[in-house]
Amino acid sequence: MFGQTGPIQAVEGLPAATLVLLRALDKTRNRFATERELTLSELRVLSRIAEARQASPKMLAGSMNLTTGAVTAISDRLVERDLILRVAHPSDRRAIFLELTPAGEAVMAGVYDDYRGAITTVADTMTEGETELLESLLLRLATSLGYPLEDGLAGAQTAVPTA
C-alpha cells in the first residue's frame, strides 16, 4: 500500500499511487515542453493537433478547457514559430483548421518518441498479460473520473474496457 504519513493524510493506496503517477506525468510533460522551448499549453495544443491530424480552435478550446481567445493566442505563437499552419475550412469560409507543419510534426515525433521510451522502460519488464491488464485498468480509471473514452486522444474511437 502506497501512502503518505504526516500531519495530513489525504489519500493512500491506489488513489495515492495515481496522484504520484499524475505528478510524474506532469513533470515529464513540463520537461518535454521546456526542452523544446515551448510552454505547457503550446505543447498541449500541438499534441491535440497531432492526434487529430487537424483541429479547429473551438475543438481545442473545448477539449483543453480554454477560451477560444487563449487558443488563438497560443496558435499565433505556434504559427510564428512555423510549427502549425491555419487552413481554410472547405465548406465554411469563416472557419479554419489548425494543422502541424513539417517542423511541428518533427517536434511531436520527438515528444512521442521520448514518451514511448519512458513508458517502454517499465513495460518491457512486464508480461503481455500484465501490460493488457494495466492498460485496461488505466482506461477504467479514466472512465470513472468522467473522461469520455470515445474521445480517445483527440477524437479517435477507443473501446470501453469491460470489468
Side-chain angles (χ1 to χ4, degrees), residues 97-137:
F97 286 117
L98 302 171
E99 295 179 357
L100 296 181
T101 63
E105 289 176 4
V107 165
M108 291 313 301
V111 167
Y112 290 129
D113 283 347
D114 289 351
Y115 184 72
R116 266 190 296 280
I119 299 300
T120 301
T121 300
V122 173
D124 284 348
T125 67
M126 299 168 64
T127 67
E128 185 176 337
E130 289 171 328
T131 302
E132 289 173 2
L133 177 61
L134 180 58
E135 181 180 344
S136 174
L137 291 172

Side-chain angles (χ1 to χ4, degrees), residues 45-133:
V45 165
L46 287 171
S47 296
R48 298 289 168 92
I49 295 170
E51 292 152 10
R53 299 281 186 234
Q54 79 178 182
S56 71
K58 183 177 180 179
M59 173 268 197
L60 290 171
S63 71
M64 296 174 58
N65 295 319
L66 296 172
T67 65
T68 53
V71 170
T72 298
I74 294 166
S75 59
D76 285 346
R77 293 192 304 268
L78 294 172
V79 166
E80 188 175 305
R81 290 189 57 187
D82 191 37
L83 297 174
I84 65 170
L85 55 96
R86 292 181 173 97
V87 178
H89 189 287
S91 61
D92 183 352
R93 64 188 182 112
R94 298 167 297 163
I96 61 160
F97 286 117
L98 302 171
E99 295 179 357
L100 296 181
T101 63
E105 289 176 4
V107 165
M108 291 313 301
V111 167
Y112 290 129
D113 283 347
D114 289 351
Y115 184 72
R116 266 190 296 280
I119 299 300
T120 301
T121 300
V122 173
D124 284 348
T125 67
M126 299 168 64
T127 67
E128 185 176 337
E130 289 171 328
T131 302
E132 289 173 2
L133 177 61

